Amino acid sequence: AFIEYENAERDARFWLPARQRVEIQVRSPFLGEGRAVVRIASRFLEVDVNDRQLDSLTLARADSLRAVAPRPLRFAPRDTLNAFADWRTALGEISAGMQVDDFDDVAPAALRPTGPPQLTFDHWRATDLVRFNRVEGLFTGYSARLALRDLAPGVVVRATAGYAWSERTARGRLSVQKTTGPWMLEARGGRSLDNTNDFRVPLDSMSSFGALLGSVDPLDYVDRWGAHLSALRTVGRRDLLARAEVGVARDRWRPKHINKGLFGPDPFRENRWADPGRYVRSALLLEWHPDVAAEFSRPGVGARVLLERGDGEINWRRAEVRVSGRKPAGPFLFLFRGDVGMVTGAGNGPIPTQQLFELGQWQNLPGYRDKEFAGSQGAILRSTIQWTGPWLRSPIRVRSTVLPGLAPGLSVGVQTGWTDTHSPAARAAVARLGATNPTGTPWPSVSVPSESIRGSVTAGLRLLSGTIFLGAVRALEGPDAGRGRGVGTGGSPW
């Protein structure tokens, strides 16, 4: 726990509180190297100075630090809580610019970047410890992290290894990272099961829960060996990130090895075809305001540009652009995100199927079938307006437990998407997605270009200030147009 107080001069005579920041950070080897953070930031904007002299006895009684019996926790009366009207500033505005590593210089010894070399057994991602999907089945792994600290400042060595029990395959990776000021250099290599979905959202790695519990696995996978070198440069307070990367890799298709999860009426579909081959991969990524996204709570506008190419047995040239934003305005919250991309083969040659753009029910275009549309060009635009009503917004107190208010509201969203094939090579790549797979069975569904802009509308009720959504989605075009479907989500603004 970290506490930071900042005082300001008042009336040219007194130093009184101006800003306060209380931050609780939790780090667990089961959650990866990231930290869960509870951050409370306060500003004292209106201060009326009362310089009335108090006698020493009154001051002694008011001293909150004196040694007395524990004091009971007191709550504001319900009429005071219910009188809450609105915040002075938008959610996330006060904490703008605050980072999780701001307190590293005074953090516990285990979290500091300085000190003797430190070996820990934690995971870079939670999915390195355990995950579940239809290709690997249950995967379990173990990781180690060696921070050389004072021995070699900024150098961290990471290793992870695990086993996919149904696929009977071992996977893992090794990386060496060097951080110096705004630069981070990295060399890494290993074998992974990468997913080929496009225009991904930050939390799509959580699909393991849907696969295990509901037999829903909306991702497609490619078995990938690779070794890469990369350089990352940050500008300002992480306002801009620039990353360059080059390396060698090999892709290979893998069939599904699990038919169903624990529950769910339908079996998993087959893993879509991925063209095999070796190649040299190079990429350039630019991100402006990387911590601003429609899926996050921080308001503002962010953008991302990715340029990528592969040269070898499989070849491609790929470009993606993303713009997203979040803007609160009183009881309203406006969200938008737009993605556009294009991929070509080298010299109009073949395009790897795993580089195509695919849209559908679980790929940013609800109301249509899973990966119904595919092409060498793709675009998706999503916008949502949320309104939080004035009812039941105050916290709910049950004895000593305080729960967030229900804060019911309404939400309306529009999603539009488009895919197309610009060449015979692109049309051939889309056709390979629907060909007979190496196991001798046809794919359960065939993707086609959308031919026009397709859209859908979502509308419904939101609870807990937008955290939970209960509503319906309706496609605007195609065979499903006019037919509504029930939708329930948690943790997503869409």
Side-chain angles (χ1 to χ4, degrees):
F2 304 97
I3 302 174
E4 183 180 49
Y5 290 154
E6 178 182 328
N7 293 334
E9 189 178 20
R10 307 284 183 179
D11 291 352
R13 292 189 298 164
F14 304 102
W15 288 96
L16 299 176
R19 300 173 186 262
Q20 292 183 2
R21 177 179 175 184
V22 178
E23 190 157 312
I24 301 172
Q25 299 183 5
V26 179
R27 182 174 175 182
S28 167
F30 301 105
L31 300 177
E33 289 190 22
R35 308 177 199 176
V37 178
V38 176
R39 179 177 295 149
I40 303 171
S42 306
R43 291 179 181 175
F44 298 87
L45 300 177
E46 297 178 1
V47 178
D48 293 327
V49 177
N50 182 354
D51 61 353
R52 182 171 60 90
Q53 297 292 327
L54 298 178
D55 59 83
S56 59
L57 181 59
T58 302
L59 286 174
R61 289 174 178 173
D63 186 2
S64 61
L65 298 180
R66 62 195 177 101
V68 296
R71 303 189 181 190
L73 178 63
R74 300 185 183 276
F75 294 88
R78 293 188 181 277
D79 58 344
T80 301
L81 293 176
N82 293 333
F84 168 76
D86 201 358
W87 302 109
R88 285 182 175 271
T89 57
L91 183 67
E93 183 176 318
I94 291 181
S95 59
M98 298 181 182
Q99 303 293 340
V100 69
D101 55 3
D102 289 343
F103 298 101
D104 277 2
D105 58 328
V106 293
L111 299 180
R112 294 184 190 178
T114 58
Q118 180 187 59
L119 177 64
T120 56
F121 297 94
D122 48 16
H123 305 270
W124 178 246
R125 297 185 296 259
T127 52
D128 292 334
L129 175 65
V130 60
R131 61 179 180 260
F132 182 86
N133 56 69
R134 65 184 184 278
V135 172
E136 295 177 307
L138 178 65
F139 177 94
T140 56
Y142 205 73
S143 303
R145 176 180 181 272
L146 176 62
L148 298 182
R149 303 209 288 187
D150 290 348
L151 184 63
V155 176
V156 178
V157 182
R158 296 181 177 89
T160 182
Y163 190 73
W165 296 96
S166 296
E167 189 189 10
R168 298 181 180 179
T169 300
R171 289 188 171 89
R173 66 182 180 277
L174 175 68
S175 70
V176 180
Q177 188 181 92
K178 167 69 174 179
T179 302
T180 304
W183 287 94
M184 185 184 75
L185 308 177
E186 183 183 32
R188 70 180 188 278
R191 183 183 186 183
S192 61
L193 189 72
D194 291 346
N195 87 67
T196 64
N197 279 35
D198 308 287
F199 307 145
R200 294 163 57 184
V201 298
L203 298 179
D204 64 1
S205 61
M206 302 297 289
S207 61
S208 289
F209 293 102
L212 177 63
L213 300 178
S215 299
V216 177
D217 190 355
L219 307 179
D220 281 297
Y221 303 92
V222 58
D223 184 49
R224 181 167 288 159
W225 289 84
H228 292 83
L229 299 173
S230 66
L232 173 69
R233 176 70 160 83
T234 62
V235 178
R237 296 277 298 178
R238 298 183 180 90
D239 294 327
L240 177 67
L241 297 181
R243 181 185 182 96
E245 187 170 334
V246 64
V248 295
R250 186 192 73 179
D251 286 1
R252 188 176 63 162
W253 175 81
R254 297 296 290 162
K256 72 174 183 179
H257 293 86
I258 291 291
N259 195 47
K260 287 189 66 175
L262 296 177
F263 308 101
D266 300 320
F268 291 125
R269 62 172 173 80
E270 183 56 86
N271 187 42
R272 291 200 165 192
W273 176 250
D275 290 331
R278 295 179 174 84
Y279 55 90
V280 176
R281 176 182 175 272
S282 53
L284 175 64
L285 173 67
L286 298 175
E287 288 190 89
W288 178 60
H289 293 165
D291 55 352
V292 174
E295 295 82 3
F296 298 154
S297 62
R298 181 162 293 177
V301 177
R304 177 179 184 268
V305 177
L306 173 64
L307 303 175
E308 184 184 58
R309 64 180 289 166
D311 298 279
E313 296 175 352
I314 54 177
N315 300 272
W316 75 90
R317 311 290 184 264
R318 183 183 176 106
E320 292 184 30
V321 178
R322 172 184 302 167
V323 178
S324 60
R326 184 183 184 100
K327 174 63 176 178
F332 294 94
L333 177 62
F334 299 89
L335 307 164
F336 73 90
R337 172 172 159 174
D339 293 86
V340 61
M342 180 175 181
V343 61
T344 65
N348 293 322
I351 300 174
T353 57
Q354 57 267 38
Q355 296 296 331
L356 294 172
F357 296 95
E358 298 168 300
L359 304 177
Q361 177 183 3
W362 306 105
Q363 299 81 35
N364 304 306
L365 196 58
Y368 296 87
R369 295 190 301 273
D370 182 32
K371 296 200 172 182
E372 182 171 347
F373 307 116
S376 58
Q377 300 170 318
I380 191 78
L381 175 64
R382 297 179 292 165
S383 58
T384 299
I385 301 176
Q386 298 179 16
W387 171 77
T388 302
W391 312 285
L392 303 176
R393 299 180 65 180
S394 59
I396 302 172
R397 181 162 62 90
V398 181
R399 295 185 179 180
S400 60
T401 303
V402 180
L403 303 175
L406 290 179
L410 302 177
S411 174
V412 177
V414 177
Q415 301 81 216
T416 57
W418 163 83
T419 64
D420 196 7
T421 51
H422 70 285
S423 67
R427 291 187 285 272
V430 173
R432 289 199 301 278
L433 287 175
T436 300
N437 67 54
T439 63
T441 58
W443 305 112
S445 61
V446 178
S447 297
V448 296
S450 68
E451 297 182 351
S452 63
I453 297 177
R454 305 298 181 101
S456 63
V457 175
T458 56
L461 174 69
R462 287 191 177 269
L463 301 174
L464 300 178
S465 298
T467 304
I468 298 176
F469 173 76
L470 300 173
V473 59
R474 183 172 182 173
L476 300 179
E477 295 185 8
D480 294 328
R483 184 174 66 183
R485 300 177 184 176
V487 179
T489 64
S492 171
W494 305 109

